[in-house]
Amino acid sequence: MLAAFLRAVAQLGDPAFRRPLLLGLLGAGAALAGLWVGMGVLLTRTRLFDSPWLDLPIDALGGLATLVLTILLYPAVVAALMSLFLDRAIDAVEARHYPGIPPSRPVGLVEQLGGALRLVAAALVLNLLALPIYLIPGVNLMVFYTLNGYLLGREYFEMVAQRRLDPSALRHLRRLRRAGIFLSGVIVAFISTIPLVNLVAPLVAVAAMTHQVMSWTRGPGADRSA
């Protein structure tokens, strides 16, 4: 797994990565600004829950809650946004490290948008429900990385695997490799919280997941690159 991430980082200088990298930088900035404004409007103009247990921390913390929710949702929102633009990066990894493999299945825009919206909705609901727990020092980090590790691992896995596997095979592989997918998501969640590094996190994540999916579906020794 770590080898997959190291190989992904080593390929960041690939010319084929330039456009996805630029889109990643622009997308990350847009997502951060959009989240900040959107969360501020949401928290000041609406009541999210009928339960005082959930509304009280949000109302009391005000601007701090906006900042916290922006940070919490940032990895998932960027992943969802970048899922629409990372096909070229996956193609570059496959071309460099796995020459000769059959062409991938084209993934339509509607299918990509559906996956992106599901990810954002799940991240919003789960992080809002976990917000009171995030107020507990120590526990908050464990919950954040567990929750977002699951969401991001699944998103990047499906982003790559759906190009090569039918839905039934994809679900089977996801069950079989659930631990590796989750741990990869935790790594992505962690690097997504490191300033500057988080700007390239989606590109590194999808490249690393491409290596892992290829390893899981083609077996040891599948890489024939020089």
Side-chain angles (χ1 to χ4, degrees), residues 66-100:
T66 300
L67 175 62
V68 170
L69 283 173
T70 298
I71 294 172
L72 294 178
L73 294 174
Y74 176 83
V77 171
V78 170
L81 176 65
M82 293 310 300
S83 68
L84 307 177
F85 305 105
L86 288 174
D87 278 351
R88 182 174 294 188
I90 300 174
D91 288 338
V93 174
E94 291 178 347
R96 177 171 176 177
H97 295 278
Y98 309 96

Side-chain angles (χ1 to χ4, degrees), residues 167-197:
S168 177
L170 186 150
R171 289 192 297 270
H172 175 72
L173 182 61
R174 188 175 63 215
R175 288 193 298 268
L176 189 65
R177 297 292 182 174
R178 64 171 68 94
I181 293 170
F182 170 70
L183 290 175
S184 294
V186 171
I187 294 175
V188 175
F190 176 72
I191 64 177
S192 295
T193 59
I194 302 175
L196 299 182
V197 176

Side-chain angles (χ1 to χ4, degrees), residues 8-129:
V9 172
Q11 197 173 347
L12 285 177
D14 190 323
F17 272 33
R18 289 174 185 167
R19 183 172 181 271
L21 180 58
L22 177 59
L23 288 171
L25 296 174
L26 295 175
L32 186 62
L35 273 171
W36 176 260
V37 174
M39 287 300 99
V41 171
L42 181 67
L43 294 178
T44 56
R45 297 190 180 181
T46 64
R47 292 188 65 82
L48 300 177
F49 305 99
D50 292 329
S51 170
W53 164 248
L54 295 173
D55 278 321
L56 182 59
I58 295 176
D59 293 339
L61 292 174
L64 181 58
T66 300
L67 175 62
V68 170
L69 283 173
T70 298
I71 294 172
L72 294 178
L73 294 174
Y74 176 83
V77 171
V78 170
L81 176 65
M82 293 310 300
S83 68
L84 307 177
F85 305 105
L86 288 174
D87 278 351
R88 182 174 294 188
I90 300 174
D91 288 338
V93 174
E94 291 178 347
R96 177 171 176 177
H97 295 278
Y98 309 96
I101 60 174
S104 61
R105 177 183 74 87
V107 181
L109 180 60
V110 173
E111 188 175 353
Q112 291 178 316
L113 284 172
L117 291 174
R118 285 194 298 272
L119 174 63
V120 172
L124 178 61
V125 171
L126 293 177
N127 278 290
L128 284 174
L129 289 174

Side-chain angles (χ1 to χ4, degrees), residues 156-157 160-161 164-165 173 208-218:
Y156 283 108
F157 168 76
V160 174
R164 298 275 169 196
L165 303 175
L173 182 61
M209 187 59 74
T210 301
H211 287 299
Q212 292 187 85
V213 169
M214 284 294 171
S215 174
W216 295 336
T217 57
R218 303 177 75 231

